[in-house]
């Protein structure tokens, strides 16, 4: 579902939210597997996913702010004129 | 017990679909918060109270506040008040409120009628998680701390205005380099370093360097 959102929406904020949904689904799968086998490893992995998501969101939102200042829009297609 | 799980799973899926189909970013964020809350309820009833708490505090608390903060920051303008009025229309918060009340009723039911047979064989206590986290996974904890530090430094670097100015000039220069080039003949601008370093260690009597030489 998050992948669909990533493909459908063109807004930068929506793309970041879709990534959140995907990470959340991965964490849910980890916790469910850990609960199924009665092991704490699933929750440990969920904590790592949480840390990754926090780092990703902070960097992503900083990039969103920069893009908004530079291109005055949040459309990712506006950023395609960047030269690498 | 099973019905509670299925109900919260349905709330999660419905709120995620609604999140993807909203046009307004704030409404989508509202539904995303709801989806995270329902996932937290699923964690709780499947025997992972620690993960549920973390989901609530970090995802629904910190990350979503960051999102909302950025969305509100980007919407500053003339029509901000009109937009905020449209955000608070009753038809906008009825949907999230209904789904959230479903979740609240679920949690209340679960807390009041503590079921004898659980969905999972046994609950994984936070203590076990902590022992596993700092036992065999201590390398992962160190790596996560380094990742978070790198994210902090990176976000600070991306957010600072100094980078924006210098990179903006670099981006725009090749298009028409004559108009946007820095005029080094102006008083106060001895070198390109003055543009970057302005405001930091300028002498008290020195003339203020022109920060936007490309304007005139």
């Amino acid at each position: 579902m998050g992948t669909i959102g990533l493909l459908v929406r063109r807004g930068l904020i929506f793309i970041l939210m879709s990534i959140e949904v995907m990470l959340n689904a991965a964490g849910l799968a980890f916790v469910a597997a850990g609960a199924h086998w009665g092991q704490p490893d699933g929750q440990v992995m969920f904590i790592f996913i949480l840390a990754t998501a926090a780092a990703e969101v902070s960097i992503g939102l900083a990039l969103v702010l920069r893009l908004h200042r530079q291109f005055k829009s949040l459309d990712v297609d506006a950023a395609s004129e960047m030269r690498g | 017990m099973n019905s509670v799980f299925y109900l919260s799973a349905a709330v999660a899926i419905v709120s995620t679909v609604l999140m993807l189909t909203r046009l307004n970013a704030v409404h989508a964020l509202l539904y995303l918060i709801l989806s995270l809350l329902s996932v937290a309820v699923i964690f709780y009833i499947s025997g992972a109270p620690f993960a549920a708490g973390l989901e609530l505090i970090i995802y629904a608390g910190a990350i979503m506040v960051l999102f909302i903060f950025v969305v509100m920051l980007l919407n500053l303008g003339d029509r901000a008040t009109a937009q905020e009025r449209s955000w608070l229309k009753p038809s906008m918060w009825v949907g999230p409120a209904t789904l959230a009340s479903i979740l609240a009723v679920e949690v209340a039911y679960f807390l009041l009628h503590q079921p004898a047979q659980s969905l999972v064989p046994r609950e994984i206590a936070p203590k076990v998680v902590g022992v596993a986290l700092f036992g065999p996974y201590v390398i992962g904890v160190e790596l996560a701390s380094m990742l978070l530090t790198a994210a902090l430094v990176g976000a600070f670097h991306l957010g600072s205005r100094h980078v924006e100015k210098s990179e903006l000039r670099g981006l725009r220069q090749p298009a028409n380099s004559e108009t946007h080039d820095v005029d080094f003949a102006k008083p106060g601008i001895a070198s390109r370093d003055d543009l970057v370093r302005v405001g930091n260690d300028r002498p008290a009597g020195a003339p203020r360097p022109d920060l936007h030489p490309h304007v005139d």
Side-chain angles (χ1 to χ4, degrees):
Chain A
M1 204 173 278
T3 319
I4 295 172
L6 192 65
L7 292 176
V8 168
R9 302 305 295 263
R10 290 284 79 174
L12 216 44
I13 293 277
F14 281 95
I15 287 175
L16 277 180
M17 283 197 276
S18 306
I19 291 174
E20 285 306 301
V21 170
M22 282 195 273
L23 283 172
N24 209 14
L28 178 61
F30 265 118
V31 171
H36 184 261
W37 279 287
Q39 296 292 319
D41 305 53
Q43 293 190 43
V44 173
M45 284 301 157
F46 174 70
I47 292 169
F48 290 155
I49 287 178
L50 210 60
T52 313
E56 172 257 330
V57 157
S58 60
I59 291 288
L61 286 177
L63 279 172
V64 164
L65 283 178
R66 292 275 326 268
L67 275 178
H68 183 72
R69 273 191 221 144
Q70 208 149 339
F71 296 107
K72 298 287 175 260
S73 93
L74 284 184
D75 206 334
V76 275
D77 297 332
S80 62
E81 65 185 41
M82 284 197 289
R83 292 168 293 273
Chain B
M1 191 56 220
N2 265 332
S3 62
V4 173
F5 169 75
Y6 284 125
L7 204 55
S8 50
V11 168
I13 290 175
V14 164
S15 59
T16 310
V17 167
L18 283 174
M19 177 214 110
L20 288 180
T21 52
R22 287 310 96 173
L23 287 180
N24 201 325
V26 174
H27 301 156
L29 276 173
L30 216 54
Y31 281 111
L32 182 56
I33 290 173
L34 207 57
S35 157
L36 296 175
L37 286 183
S38 54
V39 170
V41 171
I42 292 175
F43 282 166
Y44 185 68
I45 65 179
S46 63
F50 187 50
L54 279 182
E55 172 103 8
L56 272 184
I57 293 170
I58 297 181
Y59 256 120
I63 295 181
M64 287 304 116
V65 164
L66 209 63
F67 262 110
I68 290 179
F69 184 73
V70 167
V71 168
M72 300 270 179
L73 201 66
L74 295 183
N75 268 317
L76 287 182
D78 301 334
R79 22 188 211 100
T81 27
Q83 242 175 359
E84 274 190 38
R85 200 168 294 125
S86 75
W87 287 343
L88 294 178
K89 271 193 299 189
S91 61
M92 286 311 166
W93 51 260
V94 157
T98 313
L99 293 176
S101 56
I102 290 177
L103 282 182
V105 166
E106 269 180 21
V107 171
Y109 169 79
F110 187 77
L111 287 181
L112 289 181
H113 309 85
Q114 198 67 254
Q117 46 101 20
S118 180
L119 200 65
V120 288
R122 67 188 174 86
E123 184 176 289
I124 300 167
K127 188 181 175 185
V128 188
V129 179
V131 167
L133 190 60
F134 286 97
Y137 286 104
V138 71
I139 274 291
V141 174
E142 299 292 335
L143 285 177
S145 73
M146 277 204 282
L147 176 72
L148 285 174
T149 313
L152 174 70
V153 174
F156 181 73
H157 176 72
L158 287 173
S160 68
R161 293 193 162 264
H162 150 66
V163 182
E164 178 200 2
K165 230 173 285 168
S166 58
E167 273 189 22
L168 219 150
R169 201 180 308 125
L171 254 177
R172 281 188 183 167
Q173 246 176 10
N176 35 8
S177 57
E178 267 74 30
T179 54
H180 291 313
D181 212 346
V182 181
D183 191 5
F184 287 110
K186 283 198 172 182
I189 304 181
S191 68
R192 194 172 280 260
D193 286 344
D194 269 357
L195 288 177
V196 181
R197 212 182 292 134
V198 59
N200 274 346
D201 47 4
R202 188 156 45 96
R208 186 183 178 85
D210 192 0
L211 272 183
H212 301 283
H214 56 276
V215 169
D216 42 16

